[in-house]
């Protein structure tokens, strides 16, 4: 599943091809995503110029003068920039053809992604309005904030970190990685997290995500960087997906457990 680093990598990949370009055609081949692609999308977008391409959580926001296109990649979506006449692959559901004759092409085999249009403030959209702070560039995501939430909740620290209302963009992979870096067992009750551990966790989340973005996202599944180069962060994951392999820190075997129905990886010696 594309996580925040993949979405941010996609944003950076597509931005230079879209900003200040007008849309000359919108081709919807299959509108049946998680929610239907609005049938008036071609009417809304043709002839309009893209102003900015930003990101909120795992949503990409393509802003026009009169509204914003929200794109979510779901479980298996990916975006590419290709010449508009590029041969179609299965599951190529949507093309935004730009004046440069390149197009933004959405491919999504499992169709859990979404393409939605709003003419209002996108931050107030029902899907975005209750999202927690951005982990990387919102100062609200700080140790005091996390510590206070930890005290109030009754769940594991890993589940708390994966809650989009607490902080956005920390999916299963990066929750495992950040907790390993912090030395905190993922199943620990959030109310038992100390202030200094909250500090470590915040720091680790930021560094794990920043590193992944820098390296172009993981290649775990279905991800093609928009410029065609695959990402390569997968080899550098410290615990995620490494069950029974030696911990890079202590040599102990990496363990796995189901937490909140998700496979969770940790080192039982390094994480308490
Ligand atoms: Zn270890």
């Amino acid at each position: 599943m594309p996580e925040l680093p993949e979405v941010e990598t996609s944003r950076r990949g597509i931005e230079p091809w879209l900003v200040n370009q007008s849309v000359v055609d919108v081709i919807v081949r299959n509108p049946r995503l998680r929610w239907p692609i609005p049938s008036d999308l071609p009417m809304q977008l043709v002839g309009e110029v893209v102003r900015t391409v930003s990101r909120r959580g795992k949503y990409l926001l393509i802003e026009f003068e009169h509204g914003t296109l929200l794109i979510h990649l779901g479980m298996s979506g990916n975006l590419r920039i290709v010449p508009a006449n590029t041969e179609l692959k299965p599951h190529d559901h949507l093309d935004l053809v730009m004046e440069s004759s390149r197009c933004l092409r959405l491919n999504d085999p499992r169709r859990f992604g979404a393409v939605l249009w709003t003419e209002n403030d996108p931050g107030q959209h029902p899907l975005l309005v209750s999202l927690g702070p951005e982990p990387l560039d919102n100062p609200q995501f700080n140790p005091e904030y996390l510590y206070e939430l930890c005290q109030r909740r009754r769940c594991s620290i890993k589940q708390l970190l994966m809650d989009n209302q607490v902080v956005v963009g920390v999916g299963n992979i990066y929750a495992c990685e950040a907790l390993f870096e912090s030395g905190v067992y993922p199943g620990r009750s959030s109310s038992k997290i100390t202030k200094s551990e909250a500090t470590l966790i915040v720091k680790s989340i930021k560094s794990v995500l920043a590193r992944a973005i820098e390296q172009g996202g993981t290649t775990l599944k279905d991800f093609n960087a928009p410029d065609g180069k695959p990402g390569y962060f997968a080899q550098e994951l410290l615990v995620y997906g490494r069950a029974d392999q030696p911990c890079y820190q202590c040599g102990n075997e990496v363990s796995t457990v189901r937490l909140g129905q998700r496979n969770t990886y940790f080192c039982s010696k390094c994480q308490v």
Side-chain angles (χ1 to χ4, degrees), residues 173-206:
I173 298 171
Y174 298 106
C176 291
E177 293 292 300
L179 287 168
F180 175 75
E181 278 203 19
S182 316
V184 172
Y185 171 62
R188 176 122 61 96
S189 165
S190 72
S191 61
K192 299 270 161 48
I193 296 294
T194 64
K195 275 186 186 166
S196 61
E197 284 169 334
T199 305
L200 274 177
I201 292 169
V202 166
K203 192 170 161 236
S204 300
I205 287 173
K206 287 175 188 280

Short mmCIF file of all heavy atoms in Angstrom, two decimals, residues 173-206:
data_model
loop_
_atom_site.label_atom_id
_atom_site.label_comp_id
_atom_site.label_asym_id
_atom_site.label_seq_id
_atom_site.Cartn_x
_atom_site.Cartn_y
_atom_site.Cartn_z
N ILE A 173 4.20 0.02 8.07
CA ILE A 173 5.65 -0.11 7.88
C ILE A 173 6.41 0.89 8.75
O ILE A 173 7.33 0.54 9.49
CB ILE A 173 6.03 0.16 6.40
CG1 ILE A 173 5.36 -0.87 5.49
CG2 ILE A 173 7.53 0.16 6.21
CD1 ILE A 173 5.51 -0.55 4.01
N TYR A 174 5.99 2.17 8.64
CA TYR A 174 6.78 3.21 9.30
C TYR A 174 6.52 3.24 10.80
O TYR A 174 7.39 3.67 11.57
CB TYR A 174 6.57 4.55 8.60
CG TYR A 174 7.04 4.44 7.17
CD1 TYR A 174 6.16 4.38 6.11
CD2 TYR A 174 8.40 4.29 6.90
CE1 TYR A 174 6.60 4.20 4.81
CE2 TYR A 174 8.85 4.10 5.61
CZ TYR A 174 7.95 4.06 4.56
OH TYR A 174 8.40 3.86 3.29
N ALA A 175 5.36 2.75 11.24
CA ALA A 175 5.12 2.62 12.68
C ALA A 175 6.11 1.59 13.25
O ALA A 175 6.75 1.82 14.28
CB ALA A 175 3.68 2.21 12.96
N CYS A 176 6.24 0.44 12.56
CA CYS A 176 7.19 -0.59 13.02
C CYS A 176 8.61 -0.04 13.05
O CYS A 176 9.35 -0.23 14.02
CB CYS A 176 7.16 -1.80 12.09
SG CYS A 176 5.64 -2.78 12.17
N GLU A 177 8.99 0.63 11.98
CA GLU A 177 10.35 1.14 11.88
C GLU A 177 10.65 2.19 12.95
O GLU A 177 11.71 2.17 13.58
CB GLU A 177 10.59 1.74 10.49
CG GLU A 177 10.56 0.71 9.36
CD GLU A 177 11.75 -0.24 9.41
OE1 GLU A 177 12.90 0.22 9.32
OE2 GLU A 177 11.49 -1.45 9.55
N ALA A 178 9.71 3.11 13.15
CA ALA A 178 9.94 4.20 14.12
C ALA A 178 10.00 3.65 15.55
O ALA A 178 10.81 4.11 16.36
CB ALA A 178 8.85 5.26 14.00
N LEU A 179 9.17 2.65 15.85
CA LEU A 179 9.20 2.09 17.20
C LEU A 179 10.48 1.29 17.43
O LEU A 179 11.03 1.28 18.53
CB LEU A 179 7.94 1.24 17.45
CG LEU A 179 6.69 2.10 17.63
CD1 LEU A 179 5.43 1.24 17.59
CD2 LEU A 179 6.75 2.90 18.95
N PHE A 180 10.97 0.64 16.40
CA PHE A 180 12.26 -0.05 16.53
C PHE A 180 13.37 0.97 16.83
O PHE A 180 14.15 0.81 17.77
CB PHE A 180 12.60 -0.83 15.25
CG PHE A 180 13.97 -1.46 15.29
CD1 PHE A 180 14.22 -2.58 16.06
CD2 PHE A 180 15.02 -0.90 14.57
CE1 PHE A 180 15.50 -3.15 16.12
CE2 PHE A 180 16.30 -1.46 14.61
CZ PHE A 180 16.53 -2.59 15.39
N GLU A 181 13.38 2.05 16.08
CA GLU A 181 14.40 3.09 16.32
C GLU A 181 14.30 3.69 17.70
O GLU A 181 15.28 4.12 18.28
CB GLU A 181 14.25 4.22 15.29
CG GLU A 181 14.91 3.88 13.98
CD GLU A 181 15.26 5.12 13.17
OE1 GLU A 181 15.33 6.25 13.72
OE2 GLU A 181 15.46 4.96 11.97
N SER A 182 13.07 3.73 18.24
CA SER A 182 12.85 4.32 19.55
C SER A 182 13.09 3.32 20.68
O SER A 182 13.11 3.71 21.84
CB SER A 182 11.41 4.82 19.69
OG SER A 182 11.00 5.51 18.56
N GLY A 183 13.21 2.03 20.35
CA GLY A 183 13.40 1.01 21.39
C GLY A 183 12.13 0.72 22.17
O GLY A 183 12.19 0.25 23.31
N VAL A 184 10.98 0.99 21.57
CA VAL A 184 9.70 0.79 22.27
C VAL A 184 8.95 -0.38 21.64
O VAL A 184 8.76 -0.42 20.42
CB VAL A 184 8.85 2.08 22.19
CG1 VAL A 184 7.43 1.83 22.74
CG2 VAL A 184 9.52 3.22 22.95
N TYR A 185 8.49 -1.31 22.48
CA TYR A 185 7.72 -2.47 22.02
C TYR A 185 6.37 -1.98 21.48
O TYR A 185 5.64 -1.26 22.17
CB TYR A 185 7.54 -3.45 23.18
CG TYR A 185 6.57 -4.57 22.87
CD1 TYR A 185 6.83 -5.46 21.83
CD2 TYR A 185 5.39 -4.72 23.59
CE1 TYR A 185 5.93 -6.48 21.53
CE2 TYR A 185 4.49 -5.74 23.29
CZ TYR A 185 4.77 -6.60 22.26
OH TYR A 185 3.88 -7.60 21.94
N PRO A 186 6.01 -2.37 20.25
CA PRO A 186 4.80 -1.84 19.61
C PRO A 186 3.50 -2.12 20.37
O PRO A 186 2.54 -1.36 20.26
CB PRO A 186 4.76 -2.55 18.25
CG PRO A 186 6.13 -3.08 18.03
CD PRO A 186 6.75 -3.29 19.36
N GLY A 187 3.48 -3.22 21.15
CA GLY A 187 2.25 -3.59 21.85
C GLY A 187 2.10 -2.90 23.20
O GLY A 187 1.10 -3.09 23.89
N ARG A 188 3.08 -2.10 23.57
CA ARG A 188 3.01 -1.41 24.88
C ARG A 188 1.81 -0.48 24.92
O ARG A 188 1.52 0.23 23.96
CB ARG A 188 4.29 -0.61 25.12
CG ARG A 188 4.25 0.21 26.41
CD ARG A 188 5.37 -0.15 27.34
NE ARG A 188 6.68 0.09 26.76
CZ ARG A 188 7.38 1.21 26.96
NH1 ARG A 188 6.89 2.20 27.68
NH2 ARG A 188 8.58 1.33 26.43
N SER A 189 1.13 -0.48 26.06
CA SER A 189 -0.01 0.42 26.23
C SER A 189 0.47 1.86 26.10
O SER A 189 1.49 2.24 26.69
CB SER A 189 -0.63 0.19 27.62
OG SER A 189 -1.49 1.27 27.91
N SER A 190 -0.26 2.65 25.35
CA SER A 190 0.19 4.03 25.12
C SER A 190 0.31 4.81 26.42
O SER A 190 1.16 5.68 26.57
CB SER A 190 -0.75 4.74 24.15
OG SER A 190 -1.98 5.02 24.78
N SER A 191 -0.51 4.43 27.42
CA SER A 191 -0.48 5.19 28.68
C SER A 191 0.80 4.93 29.48
O SER A 191 1.10 5.63 30.43
CB SER A 191 -1.71 4.84 29.53
OG SER A 191 -1.69 3.46 29.82
N LYS A 192 1.59 3.92 29.06
CA LYS A 192 2.85 3.61 29.76
C LYS A 192 4.06 4.25 29.06
O LYS A 192 5.20 3.99 29.42
CB LYS A 192 3.05 2.09 29.82
CG LYS A 192 1.95 1.36 30.58
CD LYS A 192 2.33 1.25 32.04
CE LYS A 192 1.18 0.95 32.99
NZ LYS A 192 0.30 -0.13 32.59
N ILE A 193 3.81 5.05 28.04
CA ILE A 193 4.91 5.73 27.34
C ILE A 193 5.38 6.92 28.19
O ILE A 193 4.56 7.72 28.66
CB ILE A 193 4.43 6.20 25.94
CG1 ILE A 193 4.05 5.00 25.07
CG2 ILE A 193 5.47 7.07 25.25
CD1 ILE A 193 5.17 4.07 24.69
N THR A 194 6.70 7.00 28.37
CA THR A 194 7.23 8.12 29.17
C THR A 194 7.45 9.34 28.26
O THR A 194 7.43 9.23 27.03
CB THR A 194 8.59 7.76 29.80
OG1 THR A 194 9.53 7.54 28.73
CG2 THR A 194 8.48 6.49 30.65
N LYS A 195 7.72 10.47 28.92
CA LYS A 195 7.98 11.69 28.14
C LYS A 195 9.20 11.53 27.24
O LYS A 195 9.20 11.96 26.10
CB LYS A 195 8.18 12.88 29.08
CG LYS A 195 6.87 13.51 29.49
CD LYS A 195 7.08 14.77 30.30
CE LYS A 195 5.72 15.25 30.79
NZ LYS A 195 5.80 16.25 31.84
N SER A 196 10.23 10.90 27.80
CA SER A 196 11.44 10.79 26.97
C SER A 196 11.22 9.81 25.82
O SER A 196 11.77 9.98 24.73
CB SER A 196 12.66 10.42 27.81
OG SER A 196 12.45 9.17 28.43
N GLU A 197 10.39 8.79 26.05
CA GLU A 197 10.07 7.89 24.93
C GLU A 197 9.24 8.61 23.86
O GLU A 197 9.45 8.42 22.67
CB GLU A 197 9.34 6.64 25.44
CG GLU A 197 10.28 5.67 26.14
CD GLU A 197 9.55 4.56 26.88
OE1 GLU A 197 8.38 4.75 27.28
OE2 GLU A 197 10.17 3.51 27.06
N ALA A 198 8.30 9.44 24.31
CA ALA A 198 7.50 10.21 23.33
C ALA A 198 8.42 11.09 22.49
O ALA A 198 8.23 11.23 21.27
CB ALA A 198 6.45 11.05 24.06
N THR A 199 9.43 11.64 23.12
CA THR A 199 10.39 12.47 22.39
C THR A 199 11.13 11.65 21.34
O THR A 199 11.28 12.06 20.19
CB THR A 199 11.42 13.09 23.38
OG1 THR A 199 10.69 13.79 24.39
CG2 THR A 199 12.38 14.02 22.69
N LEU A 200 11.57 10.45 21.76
CA LEU A 200 12.28 9.57 20.83
C LEU A 200 11.38 9.14 19.67
O LEU A 200 11.83 9.07 18.53
CB LEU A 200 12.73 8.30 21.56
CG LEU A 200 14.05 8.33 22.29
CD1 LEU A 200 14.26 7.00 23.02
CD2 LEU A 200 15.19 8.55 21.29
N ILE A 201 10.13 8.84 19.99
CA ILE A 201 9.20 8.35 18.96
C ILE A 201 8.94 9.43 17.92
O ILE A 201 8.97 9.18 16.72
CB ILE A 201 7.88 7.85 19.60
CG1 ILE A 201 8.15 6.58 20.43
CG2 ILE A 201 6.84 7.57 18.54
CD1 ILE A 201 6.99 6.15 21.33
N VAL A 202 8.71 10.66 18.39
CA VAL A 202 8.47 11.77 17.45
C VAL A 202 9.68 11.95 16.55
O VAL A 202 9.56 12.08 15.32
CB VAL A 202 8.14 13.07 18.22
CG1 VAL A 202 8.22 14.29 17.31
CG2 VAL A 202 6.75 12.96 18.85
N LYS A 203 10.85 11.91 17.16
CA LYS A 203 12.08 12.10 16.39
C LYS A 203 12.25 10.97 15.37
O LYS A 203 12.61 11.21 14.21
CB LYS A 203 13.26 12.12 17.38
CG LYS A 203 14.55 12.57 16.80
CD LYS A 203 15.59 12.78 17.91
CE LYS A 203 16.97 12.78 17.29
NZ LYS A 203 17.88 11.79 17.87
N SER A 204 11.96 9.75 15.80
CA SER A 204 12.13 8.60 14.90
C SER A 204 11.13 8.64 13.74
O SER A 204 11.49 8.31 12.61
CB SER A 204 11.94 7.28 15.66
OG SER A 204 12.88 7.18 16.69
N ILE A 205 9.89 9.01 14.03
CA ILE A 205 8.90 9.09 12.96
C ILE A 205 9.37 10.07 11.90
O ILE A 205 9.35 9.80 10.70
CB ILE A 205 7.52 9.50 13.51
CG1 ILE A 205 6.90 8.33 14.27
CG2 ILE A 205 6.59 9.97 12.40
CD1 ILE A 205 5.62 8.65 15.01
N LYS A 206 9.83 11.23 12.35
CA LYS A 206 10.29 12.24 11.40
C LYS A 206 11.47 11.73 10.58
O LYS A 206 11.52 11.90 9.36
CB LYS A 206 10.69 13.53 12.14
CG LYS A 206 9.50 14.31 12.68
CD LYS A 206 10.00 15.51 13.50
CE LYS A 206 8.88 16.22 14.23
NZ LYS A 206 8.11 17.15 13.39
#
